């Protein structure tokens, strides 16, 4: 990346884990003020987490500060409630208060009550021609290099600007034998050694091509050139306040240099102690008036020069926010740490009477670059929802697929035989993924009556009814069964993956209607196995003594059955179009029931079937899968499911929407299509006279009919719909009015 | 040198009784049972030892039906995968959940991205995850707590939890 080095393409993306921290106080910054704040908070009995992006006190250049920091650090370690993280960089302060902290081994997420920001200050970055030449140093950087690491910033140095930190800098440079060519100040400087070559003047430019060769200084009317290989600039300090500016919450306060740049050691300790104690609001110190050079780099990260801002200003970008967006100043990796103050200064110089124009740009987290792997830390995994039979499926060689959060068997290896087992023998399917609810309470029937579009009051104990779930607009959101149990209770089922929505939907309505209803989500608690096929009754009769003959237990009935010692709620229905018993039971007993059913049906050639077979079986019956065959605005009328809506009921959720839809002409409807010359692709467009009129939602080759069968949407004109359509691949489809397989439902009622 | 485990996971043999009733009935039940976890105004969970479930079911049902005859009290054990975390369980929770773990008490929230219920007692913690997420939560605990040297124990008979106080 230009100016920012190379991207290491060999780096592996790591699975980063997280660690949540719940200390009372988070202190960001391990300098004198931060340590003082942590100590004060600890002494008040607060738990404290102190984070430092490097090592504790590592960035302090002065020996006196080091000594004070060591003392504070040692005292802090005596508190067991205080934790310290080094090499830990706070990324931002998010609402909540939530502070992600990047460390080498994992991402920490702190949830403190209070935050103390003690991130210090950095030297102001001076703008002058050639200010990007190697050999130009910020004074604190040069001081740390010399005092902490014993390295010379150069052999012959010019120092521009004098502050309270200059004497210690000079001592450190002197210890290493660095020659001081000049100390340039704009006024007479006090407190410097007498022998120092102090020059009253102004820095005009740095000189050199690939590295610094010297500087040009203006003294009164004269211009002097001074030879040097190091230029150390002290143009004042800028607070590192990006984190402070992330929030104006009173729970976040600053301490030390970040609120009082250049404060004394004593002031830093006092400030930290106050911040870790009672807390005080942060107010950014007034910016000292200082001149900004007309030439030179403003933003090193984004290569923005002063002249670029001049041009932008001339084009009408006349505020910090506009200039930032136009020029990308402050938008690089340092996020304005070095250039933000200069951007403000630039605007203030041009619009001194309009303070709002030069106000700080909005600081948003993150305050520093973060890796995508950190954004995904602790959540780079998929959450699998599995039934109790998951490992049975794997043992049988099933290929699994994700349906919502559920992992379900697609097939056990031979989908055609699985289909045949259901149609001609007997089969089992794990339908434990269905949403399952127990509803009770004195108003249970009333509640369901007002929730569902079908009738509920006339549902006698032991009966089951197919039901649609509608939203207020009258559109179908889910479907399932209502089963009337004894004691005024009901057992409801919904589609796989529909339970979470159904639960929140029902709980909202219970509250809205103010009814005495008890609702229990049984989806995890109950497994369900569908025993289906013409021999299902024969197999089931081997495992239960309860009567299951057609008279005792007919279609659309629900019974308590004891199957192989497992108490079950058994429902007679027929999604696959055959005699079926859906056995709902305690999920802890799923494996027992599954094994017993397979064992009891072995002589009948029982085998499990997966989703591949199921999708074909139900399609031959013309049964709709909500979500696959429906859209968000599909109504019962479009789907041909009007029978499940009783408009003579006084009230139910979605009634007015259904009535409104009935008044409008029917624009599209879901139809059954028969393709004699092939099977269209799911999603394929449908045409009539070369005009698009709809699309396929489900399609399969039907073994029972030997032709392609499909469900699809057709658009009509003035209530008239095409009877014959052509698929985009050329197949001709004919609309049929009845289910392809067993249209009279004789088999499933057997 | 032996392997020093830090976090121990035990599949608990506790049973979970779920009570759904009018809030006043749950209020009365809460007053009578220290070990009742109030999950909602009109809903509570009670953890009981395996051998005690029938007696407790009958007793709670009789008790709650005095105030709300339509109440539902069921053994809902199969709805949950109950794991007891001992040893460095606080450190483990910090790795899989943003929920602050109190010294003692009941709380609910996301653990490993899954809505769970947590009961904290001195020295250990019961984690109740929906049973359909059993494998996921276990896998996450092992992955996120790899640095804690996780040891897994098979189910052990729990002592009575009647004495456990859930704030």
């Amino acid at each position: 990346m230009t100016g920012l080095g190379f991207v290491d393409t060999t780096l592996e993306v790591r699975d980063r884990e997280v660690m949540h921290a719940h200390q009372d106080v988070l202190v960001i910054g391990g300098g004198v003020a931060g340590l003082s704040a942590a100590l004060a908070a600890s002494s008040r009995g607060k738990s404290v987490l102190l984070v430092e992006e490097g090592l504790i006190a590592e960035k302090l250049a002065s020996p006196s500060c080091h000594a004070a920091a060591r003392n504070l650090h040692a005292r802090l370690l005596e508190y067991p409630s205080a934790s310290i993280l080094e090499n830990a960089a706070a990324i931002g302060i998010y609402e909540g208060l939530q502070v992600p902290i990047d460390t080498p081994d994992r991402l920490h997420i702190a949830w403190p009550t209070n935050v103390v920001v003690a991130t210090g200050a950095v030297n102001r970055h001076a703008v002058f021609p050639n200010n990007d030449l190697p050999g130009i140093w910020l004074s604190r950087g040069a001081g740390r290099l010399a005092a902490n690491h014993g390295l010379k910033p150069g052999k012959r140095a010019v120092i521009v600007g004098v502050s309270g930190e200059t004497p210690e800098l000079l001592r450190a440079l002197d210890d290493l034998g660095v020659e001081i060519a000049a100390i340039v100040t704009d006024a007479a400087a006090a407190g410097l050694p007498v022998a120092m070559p102090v020059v009253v003047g102004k820095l005009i430019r740095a000189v050199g091509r690939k590295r610094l060769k010297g500087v040009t200084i203006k003294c009164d009317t004269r211009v002097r050139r001074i030879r040097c290989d190091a230029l150390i600039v002290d143009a004042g300090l800028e607070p590192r306040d990006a984190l402070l500016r992330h929030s104006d919450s009173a729970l976040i306060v600053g301490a030390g240099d970040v609120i009082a740049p250049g404060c004394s050691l004593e002031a830093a300790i006092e400030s930290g102690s106050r911040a870790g104690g009672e807390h005080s609001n942060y107010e950014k110190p007034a910016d000292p008036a200082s001149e900004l050079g007309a030439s030179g780099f403003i933003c090193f990260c984004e290569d923005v020069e002063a002249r670029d801002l001049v041009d932008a200003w001339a084009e009408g970008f006349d505020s910090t926010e506009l200039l930032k967006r136009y020029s990308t100043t402050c938008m690089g990796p340092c996020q304005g740490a070095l250039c933000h103050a200069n951007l403000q200064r630039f605007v203030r110089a041009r619009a001194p009477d309009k303070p709002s124009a030069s106000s700080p740009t909005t600081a948003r987290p993150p305050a520093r670059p973060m890796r995508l792997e950190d954004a995904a830390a602790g959540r780079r995994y998929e959450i699998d929802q599995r039934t109790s039979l998951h490992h049975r499926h794997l043992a049988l060689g099933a290929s699994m697929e994700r349906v919502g959060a559920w992992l379900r068997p697609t097939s056990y290896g031979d989908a055609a035989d699985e289909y045949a087992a259901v149609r001609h023998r007997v089969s089992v399917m794990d339908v434990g993924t269905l949403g399952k609810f127990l509803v009770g309470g004195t108003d249970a029937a009333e509640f369901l009556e007002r929730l569902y579009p079908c009738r509920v009051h006339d549902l006698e104990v032991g009966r089951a009814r197919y039901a649609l779930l509608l939203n207020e607009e009258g559109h179908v959101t889910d479907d399932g069964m209502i089963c009337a149990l004894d004691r005024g209770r009901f057992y409801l089922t919904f589609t796989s993956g529909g339970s979470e929505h159904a639960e929140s939907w029902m709980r909202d309505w219970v509250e809205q209607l103010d009814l005495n209803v008890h609702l229990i989500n049984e989806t995890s608690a109950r497994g369900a196995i569908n025993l289906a096929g013409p021999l299902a009754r024969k197999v089931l009769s081997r495992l239960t003594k309860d009567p299951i003959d057609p008279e005792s237990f007919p279609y659309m009935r629900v019974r308590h059955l004891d199957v192989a010692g497992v108490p079950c709620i058994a429902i007679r229905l027929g999604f696959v179009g055959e005699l079926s018993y859906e056995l709902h039971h305690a999920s802890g007993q799923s494996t027992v029931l599954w094994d017993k059913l397979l064992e009891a049906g072995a002589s009948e050639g029982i085998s499990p079937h997966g989703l591949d077979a199921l999708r074909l079986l139900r399609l031959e019956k013309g049964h709709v899968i909500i979500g696959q065959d429906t859209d968000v605005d599909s109504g019962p009328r479009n789907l041909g499911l009007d029978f499940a809506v009783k408009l003579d009921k006084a009230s139910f959720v979605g009634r007015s929407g259904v009535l409104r839809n009935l008044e409008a002409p029917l624009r599209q409807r879901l139809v059954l299509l028969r393709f004699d010359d092939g099977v269209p692709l799911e999603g394929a467009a449908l045409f009539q006279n070369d005009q698009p009129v709809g699309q396929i939602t489900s399609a399969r080759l039907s073994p029972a009919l030997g032709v392609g069968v499909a469900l699809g949407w057709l658009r009509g004109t003035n209530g008239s719909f095409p009877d014959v359509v052509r698929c985009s691949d050329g197949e001709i489809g004919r609309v049929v009015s009845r289910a392809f397989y067993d249209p009279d439902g004789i088999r499933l009622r057997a | 040198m032996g392997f020093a485990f830090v976090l121990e996971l035990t599949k608990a043999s506790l049973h979970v009784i779920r009570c759904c009733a009018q809030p006043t009935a749950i209020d009365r039940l809460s007053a009578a049972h220290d070990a009742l976890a109030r999950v909602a105004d009109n809903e509570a969970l009670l953890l009981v030892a395996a051998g005690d479930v029938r007696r407790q079911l009958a007793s709670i049902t009789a008790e709650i039906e005095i105030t709300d005859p339509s109440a539902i009290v069921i053994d809902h054990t199969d709805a949950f995968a109950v794991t007891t975390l001992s040893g460095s369980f606080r450190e483990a929770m910090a790795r899989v959940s943003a929920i602050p773990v109190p010294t003692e008490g009941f709380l609910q929230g996301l653990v490993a991205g899954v809505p769970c219920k947590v009961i904290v007692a001195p020295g250990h913690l019961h984690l109740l995850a929906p049973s359909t997420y059993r494998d996921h939560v276990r896998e996450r605990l092992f992955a996120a707590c790899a640095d804690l040297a996780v040891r897994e124990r098979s189910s052990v008979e729990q002592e009575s939890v009647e004495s456990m106080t859930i704030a």
Side-chain angles (χ1 to χ4, degrees):
Chain A
M1 290 185 288
T2 308
L4 298 175
F6 294 94
V7 174
D8 186 348
T9 54
T10 64
L11 280 178
E12 294 280 330
V13 177
R14 295 172 299 171
D15 275 336
R16 298 267 281 164
E17 295 290 351
V18 295
M19 173 91 85
H20 296 272
H22 296 280
Q23 282 87 352
D24 300 320
V25 179
L26 170 68
V27 178
I28 303 170
V32 170
L35 288 163
S36 173
L39 191 59
S42 297
S43 67
R44 289 168 56 224
K46 301 289 183 187
S47 57
V48 173
L49 175 63
L50 184 146
V51 297
E52 160 57 43
E53 64 183 349
L55 302 175
I56 292 294
E58 180 191 35
K59 298 194 192 71
L60 303 174
S62 105
S64 52
C65 288
H66 262 294
R70 274 198 302 275
N71 176 268
L72 291 166
H73 188 193
R75 289 165 60 195
L76 183 62
L77 292 175
E78 291 171 10
Y79 287 90
S81 59
S83 306
I84 297 174
L85 277 178
E86 294 182 310
N87 298 312
I91 289 170
I93 300 179
Y94 292 79
E95 279 184 46
L97 301 168
Q98 183 186 169
V99 185
I101 299 156
D102 182 21
T103 70
D105 63 333
R106 63 180 67 225
L107 185 79
H108 291 251
I109 300 177
W111 302 85
T113 308
N114 295 95
V115 178
V116 177
V117 178
T119 43
V122 290
N123 282 116
R124 181 170 299 143
H125 154 60
V127 180
F128 55 86
N130 293 332
N131 63 350
D132 62 334
L133 281 176
I136 300 176
W137 298 85
L138 297 175
S139 64
R140 282 190 167 183
R144 278 174 56 200
L145 192 74
N148 295 359
H149 305 291
L151 295 173
K152 294 179 183 179
K155 291 176 182 167
R156 181 180 160 86
V158 168
I159 297 174
V160 174
V162 172
S163 72
E165 296 175 359
T166 310
E168 289 206 47
L169 169 68
L170 288 171
R171 271 195 294 277
L173 295 175
D174 187 50
D175 287 348
L176 295 174
V178 177
E179 180 190 352
I180 306 300
I183 300 175
V184 181
T185 75
D186 52 7
L192 297 179
V194 178
M196 284 292 152
V198 176
V199 176
V200 176
K202 188 181 163 195
L203 175 66
I204 300 296
R205 63 168 57 238
V207 179
R209 285 179 64 81
K210 294 200 170 181
R211 63 162 295 112
L212 183 75
K213 299 284 186 189
V215 294
T216 304
I217 306 294
K218 186 177 182 186
C219 311
D220 295 328
T221 54
R222 289 185 305 121
V223 173
R224 277 181 64 187
R225 174 156 175 193
I226 304 173
R227 183 176 55 81
C228 64
D229 63 355
L231 170 59
I232 300 172
V233 183
D234 185 343
L237 294 170
E238 290 292 345
R240 293 181 66 203
D241 62 355
L243 289 169
L244 267 181
R245 291 193 293 119
H246 281 177
S247 169
D248 57 4
S249 166
L251 303 173
I252 305 166
V253 296
D257 262 353
V258 77
I259 54 170
C263 67
S264 67
L265 174 61
E266 293 72 24
I269 293 173
E270 167 63 18
S271 165
S273 181
R274 212 169 46 243
E278 296 164 359
H279 290 302
S280 57
N281 285 332
Y282 161 69
E283 283 180 28
K284 193 183 177 206
D287 187 47
S290 60
E291 206 175 325
L292 187 70
S295 174
F297 281 96
I298 294 261
C299 175
F300 284 111
C301 301
E302 297 290 286
D303 276 357
V304 181
E305 294 189 58
R307 65 181 181 206
D308 297 324
L309 293 189
V310 171
D311 290 345
W313 185 269
E315 289 179 44
F317 298 93
D318 57 0
S319 71
T320 48
E321 291 285 4
L322 291 175
L323 279 172
K324 172 186 165 182
R325 282 161 177 75
Y326 181 69
S327 66
T328 71
T329 303
C330 303
M331 290 165 75
C334 90
Q335 286 288 286
L338 285 176
C339 54
H340 181 255
N342 281 335
L343 178 67
Q344 281 185 276
R345 207 165 286 126
F346 175 88
V347 177
R348 197 178 300 122
R350 283 158 182 78
D353 301 328
K354 197 178 169 189
S356 61
S358 58
S359 59
T361 57
T362 304
R364 297 181 186 86
R368 58 174 67 221
M370 64 185 290
R371 296 174 294 259
L372 288 175
E373 64 190 22
D374 286 326
R379 59 184 69 185
R380 198 161 168 257
Y381 51 80
E382 287 188 303
I383 299 179
D384 294 337
Q385 207 171 0
R386 300 171 181 176
T387 70
S388 305
L389 293 169
H390 179 80
H391 297 284
R392 286 288 191 276
H393 302 320
L394 296 183
L396 286 166
S399 54
M400 307 296 285
E401 70 178 88
R402 179 176 283 276
V403 183
W406 290 101
L407 284 182
R408 303 191 68 186
T410 308
S411 166
Y412 297 84
D414 185 351
D417 184 65
E418 293 165 30
Y419 166 89
V422 179
R423 286 282 180 257
H424 307 300
R425 309 190 305 268
V426 60
S427 177
V428 283
M429 182 176 194
D430 177 8
V431 291
T433 54
L434 291 170
K436 301 175 279 289
F437 290 85
L438 183 63
V439 183
T442 50
D443 298 327
E446 172 65 15
F447 166 62
L448 298 180
E449 194 72 75
R450 292 168 75 169
L451 184 74
Y452 283 110
C454 62
R455 262 189 279 279
V456 178
H457 270 115
D458 64 351
L459 201 60
E460 296 168 6
V461 173
R463 285 184 174 267
R465 182 164 288 162
Y466 173 75
L468 296 173
L469 200 66
L470 306 181
N471 60 18
E472 292 95 332
E473 288 76 37
H475 300 145
V476 176
T477 59
D478 208 338
D479 69 349
M481 302 298 295
I482 306 174
C483 305
L485 306 180
D486 52 4
R487 304 186 63 194
R489 292 176 185 172
F490 294 86
Y491 186 69
L492 311 179
T493 66
F494 296 92
T495 54
S496 299
S499 71
E500 282 184 22
H501 167 260
E503 180 169 11
S504 58
W505 183 248
M506 287 193 288
R507 289 197 188 281
D508 278 354
W509 281 106
V510 168
E511 199 174 314
Q512 180 86 6
L513 300 170
D514 195 22
L515 297 171
N516 177 29
V517 172
H518 308 316
L519 187 66
I520 296 181
N521 188 339
E522 294 261 70
T523 305
S524 295
R526 287 193 174 273
I529 298 169
N530 189 30
L531 178 70
L535 304 178
R537 184 175 292 116
K538 186 176 179 184
V539 172
L540 186 61
S541 66
R542 292 173 183 158
L543 298 172
T544 183
K545 292 176 181 163
D546 296 318
I548 55 168
D549 57 274
E551 290 71 37
S552 307
F553 192 5
Y555 181 60
M556 294 303 262
R557 296 294 200 278
V558 58
R559 293 281 184 276
H560 287 287
L561 290 186
D562 186 290
V563 183
V566 177
C568 296
I569 294 175
I571 312 168
R572 280 258 347 241
L573 36 76
F575 190 57
V576 295
E578 301 291 345
L579 169 66
S580 302
Y581 299 89
E582 216 169 78
L583 304 172
H584 294 241
H585 55 278
S587 57
Q589 294 184 284
S590 289
T591 51
V592 173
L593 184 59
W594 178 265
D595 293 345
K596 290 286 183 188
L597 287 167
L598 288 178
E599 191 183 315
S603 55
E604 273 64 41
I606 194 170
S607 67
H609 65 281
L611 288 170
D612 255 1
L614 177 79
R615 288 171 182 139
L616 170 56
L617 291 158
R618 66 89 199 183
L619 187 57
E620 287 183 334
K621 282 296 293 176
H623 289 155
V624 171
I625 294 180
I626 305 294
Q628 175 165 333
D629 299 308
T630 63
D631 288 324
V632 289
D633 60 350
S634 301
R637 183 185 176 205
N638 309 104
L639 297 169
L641 298 173
D642 314 60
F643 68 89
V645 179
K646 302 302 175 195
L647 285 169
D648 54 348
K649 282 174 55 170
S651 167
F652 60 83
V653 176
R655 186 173 185 274
S656 55
V658 171
L659 287 171
R660 196 166 50 245
N661 293 336
L662 281 176
E663 289 167 10
L666 188 61
R667 294 177 186 276
Q668 58 177 355
R669 65 187 181 112
L670 189 70
V671 298
L672 291 168
L673 291 158
R674 176 187 170 116
F675 289 85
D676 290 326
D677 53 352
V679 182
L681 289 173
E682 290 183 349
L686 297 172
F687 297 87
Q688 184 187 39
N689 301 328
D690 293 332
Q691 292 299 309
V693 291
Q695 72 279 347
I696 297 290
T697 59
S698 302
R700 289 283 190 284
L701 176 66
S702 164
L705 280 72
V707 299
V709 294
L711 274 165
W713 284 98
L714 286 184
R715 285 187 290 280
T717 311
N718 299 323
S720 170
F721 290 84
D723 295 323
V724 180
V725 290
R726 183 181 55 78
C727 188
S728 44
D729 290 334
E731 300 93 345
I732 301 297
R734 297 174 195 285
V735 176
V736 298
S737 58
R738 303 185 74 204
F740 301 106
Y741 181 79
D742 186 25
D744 296 319
I746 293 167
R747 296 178 70 88
L748 56 84
R749 287 182 172 80
Chain B
M1 191 172 151
F3 179 67
F5 77 92
V6 180
L7 173 69
E8 187 166 86
L9 307 180
T10 310
K11 186 182 171 192
S13 62
L14 290 169
H15 278 238
V16 183
I17 294 177
R18 188 184 284 268
C19 316
C20 278
Q22 290 181 16
T24 48
I26 301 289
D27 289 344
R28 289 185 60 162
L29 204 63
S30 299
H33 296 267
D34 285 343
L36 200 80
R38 187 85 176 248
V39 298
D41 261 9
N42 58 353
E43 202 170 326
L45 298 180
L46 186 69
L47 264 67
V48 299
D52 207 23
V53 66
R54 280 177 184 273
R55 185 186 67 80
Q56 288 276 16
L57 262 176
S59 149
I60 301 262
T61 304
E63 197 177 332
I64 205 166
E65 284 187 350
I66 296 170
T67 317
D68 181 1
S70 70
I72 302 178
V73 181
I74 57 173
D75 179 356
H76 223 218
T77 305
D78 287 323
F80 299 101
V82 188
T83 308
T84 303
L85 280 67
S86 51
S88 299
F89 64 90
R90 290 179 190 281
E91 289 77 0
M93 283 295 283
R95 284 159 169 78
V96 291
S97 177
I99 310 173
V101 178
T103 313
E104 216 172 332
F106 169 74
L107 49 142
Q108 42 193 354
L110 291 182
V111 178
V114 172
C116 290
K117 306 186 190 305
V118 179
I119 294 167
V120 192
H124 65 274
L125 169 153
H126 297 302
L127 175 62
L128 281 70
S131 55
T132 51
Y133 293 107
R134 183 193 311 273
D135 292 349
H136 165 75
V137 172
R138 181 182 170 278
E139 285 160 14
R140 283 303 303 150
L141 277 169
F142 271 91
C145 304
D147 57 326
L148 292 182
V150 188
R151 193 171 86 168
E152 197 170 28
R153 291 175 63 193
S154 57
S155 175
V156 293
E157 196 66 29
Q158 301 287 318
E159 293 176 0
S160 167
V161 288
E162 270 298 296
S163 59
M164 187 170 65
T165 302
I166 299 171

